[in-house]
Amino acid sequence: MRKTLLTYIKPHVQEDPLAMILGIAYLGGAMEQQGLPVELADERILNDSEMKETIERNDVIGFSALTPNIRRAIAWAKYAKEKGKITVMGGPHASVDQGIFLDSGHFDYVIKGEAEETLPQFIKAIEGGNDEDIKAVAGVAGVREGEIWVDNPAPPLIKKLDDLPLPARHLIPMDSFFKMNPERLAYIFTTRGCPFKCIFCQKELTGRGFRVRSTELIVDELEHIVKTYNPGVVLFVDEILTLRKKRIHEMCDEILRRGLKFEWIANTRADCVDYPLLKHMHRAGCRRIYYGWESGSQRMLDVLKKDLTPESIVEAAKMTRRAGIWAKVYLIVGSPGESPADVEETERVLRMASPDLVRVSVFNPLIGTESWDNYQANIDLTDLRDNYVSSNRSAYVHEHFTQIELEQIRKDMVRNYEKWYYAYPQRARRMVERTLYYLENPTFAKKRVGRALGLVPPPSNKIDHLHAG
């Protein structure tokens, strides 16, 4: 039986902490469930010669890559084809832009949409060698002799996430990731989809609905991760973890009931939290929240269809800090029509909100998004074809700024904010806020004092260096 390799292609710049990729792990679990031989590989922890060896010992090579890295995926597919392998591309970009892969001459197939059900079907059809069986697999598009011979629409979204097998973490060298990440970061999904209408998000893969896993299965997986891998911190990679607050209250209750001791991070929106929820999350181990704010200018928030206000952003930051949770925020500069006044307004709101860390990207209209449909006249397609995109640059030709100016704005926004954040007045204010927090939470105050006096051992999973003082 042919053996399948599912591989994640590394970014040209690794900006985020290195951790396992859940996408190929879920697919690996689905393949194992069907009794199909599979190997997982992440190029970020392999050198070129190891990557070549991995490709050479498998028969079907499945690729996954974020949009900025598809050129590298095509290059590796070229190598695989030269070795006589069957090449397949999946993931969000392939689901909206199959042509860039199939037209390259280096991919035999694309699988569109969620593939936990369709990938095993496809591999079985390949093994059987019957074209009609391949044509029966939802989401498959294929090319032969330069011509498309199968092109099926993506399958319906998977309704019951509880039916999916757990991600095959045992097929991934977790220790290799932990060695390259001092926090020992692990990932978990509890939902798929996002109902909001931000114009820059690709939703083809997971949809605009909101599908959830059951609380019991989520905490079962958390318990398995904690006891098996002893991570330093667990990141919930859901787009909006706290969209349904009752669900998170239930999850926190179950974590506390089982006595699980671990630190975790949530991704969410400013309008999807309240103070009681944040306090409950903190009691259950949440120590960081990542917020997608994008801008502090109401005009830009409206352009991006964030459905947020600067006031809600500031209030969420204050509640998060009061609950004892550290906050990182994501911003976008160079949105359509953005002016110097909008940039200044964002910087003003940042200082009002005082998050602990700021990350800024340049606006990029990705294919398959509303921003792509609405602003094609401003997209330099030659630049896009030659360079594609990254968080630091864009093929979008801005109305008011050059690309060099936008890059400088991006850097200056971070530098200016950090200079302000670490200045004495802000450090003193945070000291007062921490004191108020400890008065409200005497249990944590006792632990803090005990650690300061050497009477209580420090937490085993440290992230203290991230909590600016």
Side-chain angles (χ1 to χ4, degrees):
M1 180 176 286
R2 290 183 177 91
K3 187 178 179 183
T4 302
L5 170 69
L6 302 175
T7 181
Y8 177 77
I9 300 302
K10 71 180 178 183
H12 58 286
V13 176
Q14 180 66 41
E15 296 177 327
D16 294 319
L18 192 66
M20 64 162 285
I21 295 299
L22 278 178
I24 61 172
Y26 264 105
L27 294 175
M31 292 282 286
E32 282 195 325
Q33 189 180 57
Q34 295 295 318
L36 298 169
V38 63
E39 181 176 354
L40 305 184
D42 189 328
E43 193 197 357
R44 296 173 304 165
I45 58 173
L46 301 176
N47 59 37
D48 283 0
S49 106
E50 291 170 331
M51 185 74 170
K52 289 177 180 178
E53 291 173 3
T54 305
I55 289 173
E56 289 167 8
R57 66 172 173 258
N58 287 275
D59 305 298
V60 181
I61 315 300
F63 292 89
S64 175
L66 298 176
T67 293
N69 314 315
I70 60 176
R71 298 294 178 190
R72 189 171 181 86
I74 292 171
W76 275 117
K78 180 177 183 294
Y79 178 81
K81 286 304 298 176
E82 290 170 351
K83 297 298 179 180
K85 310 301 180 180
I86 297 172
T87 52
V88 187
M89 189 71 194
H93 195 104
S95 297
V96 297
D97 186 20
Q98 66 184 38
I100 196 168
F101 304 107
L102 297 180
D103 294 345
S104 71
H106 306 310
F107 281 93
D108 298 304
Y109 298 96
V110 157
I111 298 182
K112 294 169 278 189
E114 294 176 320
E116 284 90 350
E117 295 175 351
T118 54
L119 178 63
Q121 295 171 15
F122 169 76
I123 296 300
K124 289 177 181 179
I126 289 289
E127 185 66 23
N130 188 322
D131 284 354
E132 293 306 312
D133 290 341
I134 296 174
K135 288 181 178 180
V137 179
V140 170
V143 62
R144 286 181 183 167
E145 297 179 356
E147 299 292 332
I148 297 289
W149 68 277
V150 57
D151 189 3
N152 295 333
L157 296 173
I158 297 170
K159 292 182 178 179
K160 295 182 179 180
L161 299 184
D162 282 356
D163 292 343
L164 293 175
L166 291 179
R169 293 182 176 87
H170 59 281
L171 296 181
I172 294 177
M174 296 290 286
D175 286 343
S176 296
F177 289 106
F178 290 157
K179 287 177 182 177
M180 301 174 73
N181 182 337
E183 285 198 289
R184 296 179 61 86
L185 183 65
Y187 286 173
I188 186 172
F189 266 119
T190 77
T191 65
R192 289 187 183 180
C194 171
F196 292 93
K197 299 179 180 179
C198 306
I199 68 171
F200 49 83
C201 281
Q202 287 177 335
K203 296 296 183 185
E204 190 68 24
L205 189 64
T206 57
R208 292 199 179 276
F210 192 69
R211 295 164 289 150
V212 304
R213 297 172 62 201
S214 65
T215 298
E216 183 176 1
L217 288 182
I218 292 166
V219 184
D220 283 347
E221 184 176 354
L222 285 169
E223 188 168 11
H224 169 74
I225 293 170
V226 170
K227 293 182 177 179
T228 304
Y229 301 107
N230 186 31
V233 62
V234 175
L235 172 62
F236 288 80
V237 293
D238 309 57
E239 294 178 78
I240 310 176
L241 180 68
T242 62
L243 181 64
R244 296 181 185 172
K245 297 171 187 174
K246 180 181 178 182
R247 189 180 74 92
I248 303 306
H249 279 297
E250 292 172 352
M251 184 187 78
C252 291
D253 282 337
E254 186 63 14
I255 289 171
L256 293 167
R257 188 188 71 78
R258 297 193 194 188
L260 297 179
K261 304 292 186 182
F262 68 101
E263 294 183 352
W264 51 277
I265 308 168
N267 288 297
T268 192
R269 284 171 51 101
D271 57 351
C272 292
V273 295
D274 56 39
Y275 186 57
L277 177 64
L278 291 167
K279 283 194 67 176
H280 200 178
M281 290 167 64
H282 183 270
R283 284 181 56 227
C286 180
R287 294 297 180 268
R288 277 177 270 173
I289 294 181
Y290 298 164
Y291 288 109
W293 289 358
E294 322 315 347
S295 180
S297 161
Q298 185 65 66
R299 195 169 73 88
M300 289 300 98
L301 290 169
D302 292 343
V303 166
L304 297 173
K305 294 190 176 180
K306 282 295 296 184
D307 199 22
L308 286 173
T309 65
E311 292 77 16
S312 66
I313 285 172
V314 172
E315 180 60 24
K318 289 180 177 179
M319 289 190 298
T320 304
R321 191 161 51 249
R322 183 183 167 198
I325 299 174
W326 180 93
K328 176 168 79 171
V329 301
Y330 294 96
L331 299 172
I332 294 174
V333 295
S335 297
E338 187 165 31
S339 68
D342 294 309
V343 174
E344 290 176 5
E345 180 65 7
T346 294
E347 292 179 324
R348 185 185 71 84
V349 170
L350 265 181
R351 291 190 294 271
M352 291 175 61
S354 300
D356 298 282
L357 187 66
V358 175
R359 180 171 174 181
V360 185
S361 300
V362 177
F363 175 77
N364 266 300
L366 302 179
I367 190 168
T369 67
E370 184 177 341
S371 62
W372 176 272
D373 296 336
N374 290 351
Y375 298 105
Q376 283 201 37
N378 290 73
I379 301 172
D380 184 338
L381 296 178
T382 300
D383 183 9
L384 189 69
R385 184 182 64 249
D386 293 342
N387 301 302
Y388 232 89
V389 301
S390 74
S391 61
N392 300 340
R393 66 175 309 280
S394 172
Y396 180 79
V397 180
H398 200 271
E399 302 89 334
H400 301 136
F401 304 110
T402 66
Q403 282 298 314
I404 293 175
E405 289 171 336
L406 283 173
E407 172 63 5
Q408 193 61 49
I409 290 171
R410 187 186 73 84
K411 291 179 179 178
D412 287 346
M413 186 173 288
V414 174
R415 290 169 180 166
N416 293 341
Y417 179 75
E418 288 182 346
K419 182 178 180 181
W420 174 88
Y421 180 87
Y422 287 108
Y424 176 74
Q426 282 62 249
R427 293 174 68 90
R429 177 179 55 77
R430 290 196 295 278
M431 185 179 297
V432 171
E433 288 173 344
R434 279 202 304 275
T435 300
L436 294 174
Y437 165 76
Y438 289 135
L439 290 174
E440 186 176 350
N441 299 274
T443 300
F444 290 101
K446 291 178 182 178
K447 290 181 181 179
R448 180 67 176 178
V449 172
R451 287 203 300 271
L453 297 176
L455 303 176
V456 176
S460 58
N461 302 325
K462 293 183 180 180
I463 58 172
D464 289 349
H465 65 285
L466 293 171
H467 294 257

